Amino acid sequence: MTTRTASEPTGPAPLLDLQVLVVAVRRRRRLWSSVALVGMLLGGASAVLLPPPPTATTKLLVAHQEDQPNDPGTLIRTDAALLRTTRIADQALRALGSREKSEDFLEDYEAVGLTNNLLRIDVAGATEAEAVARARALADAFVADHVRRIRQAADAEAKALLDQRDRLRKDLAEVDRTIGEGSQDDGPKVSANRESLFARRAELTSQISDFGRRAAEARIGTPRLVSGTQIVDAPRLVRHSLPRTAATNAGIGLALGLALGLGVAAVGAVVADRPVLRREIAGHLGASVIAELPGRSPRWWRRRRVRAARTRLAASLARTVRGSSEPVSLLELGAARATIGIARDLAGELAADGPVAVLDGLPGQPLTRRGRRQEDLTVVGAGDASSVPHQQRRLGLGSVAPGTAWADLQHLGTRTVLVVRAGHGSAAWLHTVARHLADQRIAVVGVVLIDPDPGDRTDGTLWEGPQAAPREETDPPARRNGTGRRRTERLPMWAARVADDDQEGR
């Protein structure tokens, strides 16, 4: 009676696993760090290759008739908007004697309201002298236009008041004529009419005097506003510091490049769907992670630790090979060099028991090219397996990369250790590998993970649940090993069959 490996029930998978996303982005640090570096270099180079044009600045004090202490800055913003009109631009260009279009000139300057009455003008030019001249012409044009508008408003207000005064004078003359033509009788009705006319004449006289006074005040306030609008800071050049500009542009380029690189790395990680965590790789392949090795040459202070880890892995695999009556193979996925190194270490451990034949099924046959025989180690091609004596121990070496001839893997060994590089194969391909190995009746002893993430704290062990019910007659017969005992087939977690309804479950 045989049992199957049961997996613990798991909840629905999240749409986006943040831990997986963070690990995937961290593994692509070369991408986003390179993009950030390129952005920083381009930003710094732009300050040197594209220097800002010569710029002049000036400040104006602008007086308004409607100035209030609690003004939120509406009047000065209106002045800034008026400065960027074609009327002011045309006046400045006429003063400069330039034939440039006013629409093009508007792109070379800007106005900013600093306070309720202080306006700053920044003007760019082809040369330093031209920038200063443009700033002076713009300031003069704006002051002249502002003074003209103040005087026009004062004249219009005074004219309206004087016109009203003239109308009142006509009414007063009519009242006076009526009083002069009135009757000299002393009746009560005549006396009342005469008193109303005198009251009307007094009222009109007061209004005429008031309108005259207001008209005079309207004209008197104009010189104060005109003198209050002036250039308080003469046009001068704005000095640009090249190191400061380069540092600022480099910082902006670094931030933009880093954001772009992180975004591309995150989107690429989600789209590619390449498992990098031990938990994911073990779940997709249906086998536990038994060891981890770095993907590249370690630093000198870690070489001893890595060498000890490889020695422990070789000793563990040697015990597995010695305890198995069936040939064992090493199948790589994106880690050919690491697989060759593991095979050499394992063959060196097994050489103490007798001659070892390595069946080289890797594409390109890298082991075969390096020499046929080294002491008790014999390297033959996968097609020459028949030339190896049956009593000699065999160690298969192959690949499960795309394009693999799956039917040839069983000749390398019916038990295998997968050497997988983290993040190399997609989840769909890991499922394909597990399914084909199960179809070929090749048992997976474990997974050796190459280039794991240093911050990975997930568990790469698959736990076996309680024993399942006996196989039905429809199940395929269990494979028997060389000792005549039935061998349990280890199925991946995704291959576990689930009942479709309650009746089938019962």
Side-chain angles (χ1 to χ4, degrees), residues 48-101:
V48 180
L49 301 178
L50 300 174
T55 304
T57 183
T58 183
K59 294 179 183 178
L60 305 179
L61 181 63
V62 185
H64 305 95
Q65 188 174 3
E66 302 85 1
D67 275 337
Q68 297 294 333
N70 57 353
D71 180 32
T74 305
L75 297 177
I76 199 67
R77 286 197 297 269
T78 303
D79 293 333
L82 287 174
L83 186 62
R84 291 189 52 80
T85 57
T86 55
R87 184 176 67 182
I88 304 297
D90 288 337
Q91 293 177 6
L93 290 175
R94 283 196 298 269
L96 292 171
S98 174
R99 296 182 179 180
E100 184 181 1
K101 294 182 179 180

Side-chain angles (χ1 to χ4, degrees), residues 18 205 472-473:
L18 293 180
T205 303
E472 299 179 0
E473 296 297 332

